[in-house]
């Protein structure tokens, strides 16, 4: 069978060798967790506990405040020490700080929901919503929203992203190797919720062991097709994955539902399986801790709310002088100026670079070589969008479809002049979106 792919894209060094052979190990239980009320796209949660309250594992501590929001739950049992604004990735957010009693007592609401076969699609959707399931590939979009398309949007296929195309990260790879049945079970739940007949699981061909493992787990389910993807970045992006699997193109300014598809991540799928089988909300996840400036790179199962520094310390701590700390992968992750922040549902990776790797090259004049255009997976002209953004001419940037940029960073990666393409396009997008909101 030929490998599936998309148009454009790049081939950055994989750098997955540090952790791809390392099984997931459970992190030491934190003594204190800081549960952020803002850890997904959409409205932040409202805390529903107060200082002095005793909470258990799986107990809701933050309620959703709108449809595009998702509840958050305690990952430990213990006493609420404070409810206050704390540093999180990207700024400050209201947080519930809980001191663990080390008992890990499970909350009474955490009970098995039975099996998919005995549940209606509405019941499964409600389980997903109440369990606080969000996209765990990095974006953190509430999953129940994605599974509730408007009636006029006809969905006929669900695609699981097992590409893990970001360099360095191996959390999804290990998940597919170690718990393939959970990934497949979650996809079956998604298929039932959306009432579709077809589900794909796309895996890049640099993970043949994961492809074999998932294929074996899915062999009893003819509605599921496991497909091998050509290893190329950003193979796991929604629009690119949809094209690779179905040859459908999401229109400009459109969403996956406009191509009749819903895309989810393999980790999200496994979390759905766990929520159905055990009733446990999303309170922990696998995270890859890697890079040149950590002593012992690992894949770890971490509780949501664990301090990032504590996680790094469990990998032997820092090695040499740290130049950059990134939450997520090197292409689409977000840099942090501190390790004193909590992990969230979307902490798929903690990447630590040394000083040399972190140096930002000096930008030179654009050569008009067209490399950024030839590799752009969204078929944009990044050099022009960037140029107009740098001149604060956001109207022109919008005419070049700046909002279609998926912010994969491929243009910056290939630019021989090291222009700040991605950074300037992000600025343009923010300005365009802000202007549109003001005009409403």
């Amino acid at each position: 069978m030929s490998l599936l792919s998309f148009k454009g894209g790049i081939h950055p060094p994989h750098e997955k060798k540090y952790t791809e052979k390392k099984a997931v190990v459970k992190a030491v239980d934190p003594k204190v967790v800081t549960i952020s009320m803002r850890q997904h796209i959409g409205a932040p949660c409202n805390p529903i506990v107060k200082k002095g309250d005793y909470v258990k594992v799986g107990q809701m501590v933050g309620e959703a405040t709108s449809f595009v929001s998702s509840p958050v739950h305690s990952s430990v049992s213990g006493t609420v020490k404070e409810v206050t604004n704390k540093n999180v990735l990207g700024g400050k957010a209201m947080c519930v700080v809980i001191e663990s009693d080390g008992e890990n007592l499970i909350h009474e609401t955490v009970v098995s929901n039975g099996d998919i076969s005995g549940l209606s699609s509405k019941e499964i959707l409600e389980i997903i919503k109440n369990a606080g399931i969000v996209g765990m590939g990095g974006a953190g979009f509430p999953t129940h929203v994605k599974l509730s398309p408007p009636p006029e949007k006809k969905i006929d296929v669900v695609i699981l992203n097992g590409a893990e195309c970001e360099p360095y990260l191996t959390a999804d790879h290990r998940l597919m190797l170690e718990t393939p049945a959970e990934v497949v079970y979650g996809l079956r739940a998604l298929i039932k919720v959306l009432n579709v007949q077809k589900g794909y699981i796309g895996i890049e061909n640099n993970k043949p062991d994961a492809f074999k493992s998932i294929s074996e787990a899915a062999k009893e389910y003819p509605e599921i097709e496991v497909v091998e993807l050509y290893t190329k970045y950003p193979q796991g992006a929604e629009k690119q994955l949809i094209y690779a699997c179905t040859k459908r193109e999401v229109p400009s300014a459109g969403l996956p539902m406009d191509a009749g598809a819903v895309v989810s991540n393999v980790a999200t799928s496994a979390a759905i399986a766990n929520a159905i089988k055990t009733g446990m909300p999303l309170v922990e996840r696998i995270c890859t801790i890697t890079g040149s400036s950590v002593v012992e790179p690992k894949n770890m199962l971490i509780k949501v709310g664990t301090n990032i520094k504590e996680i790094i310390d469990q990998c032997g701590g820092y090695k040499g002088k740290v130049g950059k700390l990134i939450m997520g992968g090197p292409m689409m992750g977000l840099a942090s100026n501190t390790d004193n922040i909590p992990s969230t549902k979307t902490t798929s990776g903690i990447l630590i670079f040394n000083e040399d790797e972190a140096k930002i090259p000096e930008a030179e004049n654009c050569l008009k070589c067209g490399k950024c255009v030839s590799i752009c997976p969204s078929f944009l002209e990044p050099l022009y969008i960037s140029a107009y953004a740098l001149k604060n001419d956001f109207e022109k940037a919008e005419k070049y479809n700046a909002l279609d940029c998926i912010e994969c960073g491929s243009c910056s990666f290939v630019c021989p002049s090291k222009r700040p393409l991605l950074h300037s396009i992000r600025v343009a997008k923010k300005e365009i979106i802000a202007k549109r909101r003001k005009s409403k």
Side-chain angles (χ1 to χ4, degrees):
M1 183 180 175
S2 62
L3 299 173
L4 306 180
S5 191
F6 62 97
K7 300 169 187 172
I10 58 173
H11 297 276
H14 295 170
E15 303 292 357
K16 294 177 183 284
K17 58 183 180 293
Y18 301 110
T19 54
E20 64 185 350
K21 303 293 184 188
K22 292 188 175 182
V24 177
V25 294
K26 191 175 184 302
V28 175
D29 280 353
K31 292 180 180 176
V32 174
V33 292
T34 302
I35 310 289
S36 172
M37 296 294 103
R38 176 170 62 83
Q39 48 182 306
H40 52 72
I41 288 177
C45 292
N46 272 343
I48 57 172
V49 293
K50 62 182 185 304
K51 182 179 178 179
D53 285 354
Y54 183 79
V55 298
K56 296 180 180 178
V57 179
Q59 180 175 341
M60 186 189 297
V61 295
E63 62 181 3
T65 55
S66 73
F67 179 60
V68 186
S69 185
S70 189
V72 292
H73 305 77
S74 178
S75 57
V76 299
S77 60
T79 304
V80 176
K81 302 304 291 181
E82 58 181 336
V83 179
T84 185
N85 272 310
K86 304 278 284 185
N87 286 327
V88 299
L89 182 63
K92 284 186 175 288
M94 185 62 67
C95 295
V96 174
V97 182
I98 305 165
E99 185 175 70
S100 173
D101 61 6
E103 298 293 326
N104 282 323
L105 297 176
I106 306 297
H107 193 251
E108 291 74 18
T109 55
V110 180
V111 294
S112 172
N113 290 290
D115 185 67
I116 297 171
S117 58
L119 296 167
S120 70
S121 59
K122 285 187 178 178
E123 288 171 330
I124 297 173
L125 182 60
E126 198 65 15
I127 291 167
I128 292 170
K129 181 180 178 181
N130 292 335
I133 307 291
V134 301
M136 295 170 70
F141 195 80
T143 301
H144 70 275
V145 179
K146 194 177 280 191
L147 297 177
S148 307
E152 67 273 17
K153 302 291 183 184
K154 300 302 178 189
I155 308 298
D156 64 359
V157 64
V158 185
I159 303 172
L160 283 193
N161 173 16
E164 200 167 48
C165 58
E166 275 267 11
Y168 288 92
L169 302 187
T170 57
D172 286 353
H173 184 178
R174 295 309 309 184
L175 172 82
M176 290 187 286
L177 275 179
E178 298 177 32
T179 56
E182 304 306 291
V183 174
V184 172
Y185 191 95
L187 177 56
R188 290 173 55 217
L190 292 170
I191 287 173
K192 187 163 185 176
V193 170
L194 291 163
N195 191 27
V196 300
Q197 306 301 315
K198 185 72 177 179
Y200 290 99
I201 304 176
I203 302 170
E204 283 191 337
N205 68 329
N206 62 354
K207 307 174 190 66
D209 49 358
F211 180 80
K212 182 179 177 183
S213 174
I214 290 289
S215 297
E216 180 66 23
K219 67 181 181 183
E220 294 178 22
Y221 307 105
E223 71 275 25
I224 295 176
E225 184 176 351
V226 185
V227 295
E228 205 164 14
L229 308 168
Y230 180 52
T231 300
K232 185 170 62 168
Y233 180 83
Q235 186 67 260
E238 284 187 328
K239 295 176 182 178
Q240 287 62 41
L241 189 57
I242 291 170
Y243 181 82
C245 293
T246 68
K247 296 298 175 266
R248 300 176 191 169
E249 290 190 6
V250 178
S252 175
L255 296 170
M257 67 175 72
D258 295 309
V262 165
V263 178
S264 192
N265 175 267
V266 289
T268 307
S269 184
I272 290 171
N274 190 44
I276 294 172
K277 290 182 178 181
T278 71
M280 182 59 74
L282 179 48
V283 296
E284 61 184 14
R285 67 156 301 138
I286 300 173
C287 173
T288 301
I289 303 93
T290 186
S292 57
S293 276
V294 62
V295 172
E296 185 184 1
K298 292 181 180 179
N299 292 299
M300 301 184 80
L301 182 65
I302 59 172
K303 287 180 178 289
V304 170
T306 306
N307 182 275
I308 296 297
K309 176 69 163 55
E310 287 182 26
I311 297 169
I312 295 170
D313 285 344
Q314 291 181 51
C315 297
Y318 294 118
K319 184 171 68 177
K321 209 157 187 178
V322 175
K324 197 170 191 178
L325 176 64
I326 299 173
M327 299 295 115
M331 302 299 289
M332 297 185 77
L334 294 174
S336 177
N337 60 3
T338 175
D339 55 12
N340 188 24
I341 54 174
S343 66
T344 69
K345 299 173 184 179
T346 60
T347 308
S348 58
I350 301 172
L351 183 55
I352 307 144
F353 284 143
N354 63 37
E355 281 190 315
D356 286 341
E357 292 169 320
K359 282 180 183 171
I360 299 174
E362 193 166 334
E364 299 176 1
N365 291 332
C366 177
L367 301 171
K368 300 287 194 301
C369 65
K371 285 188 177 179
C372 61
V373 178
S374 66
I375 57 81
C376 178
S378 297
F379 317 126
L380 302 175
E381 296 175 285
L383 75 166
Y384 293 118
I385 300 173
S386 171
Y388 287 122
L390 292 172
K391 293 178 180 176
N392 294 326
D393 190 345
F394 303 115
E395 283 190 17
K396 285 275 183 59
E398 186 174 9
K399 287 179 180 175
Y400 277 84
N401 300 317
L403 292 184
D404 280 344
C405 173
I406 60 172
E407 302 182 20
C408 67
S410 295
C411 52
S412 293
F413 182 82
V414 299
C415 179
S417 297
K418 304 303 176 189
R419 304 282 300 164
L421 297 171
L422 174 59
H423 176 75
S424 54
I425 293 172
R426 277 178 172 160
V427 171
K429 289 179 69 176
K430 284 183 181 176
E431 292 291 335
I432 294 166
I433 291 170
K435 185 183 174 186
R436 287 187 178 184
R437 284 178 177 157
K438 278 183 183 176
S439 64
K440 283 184 180 176

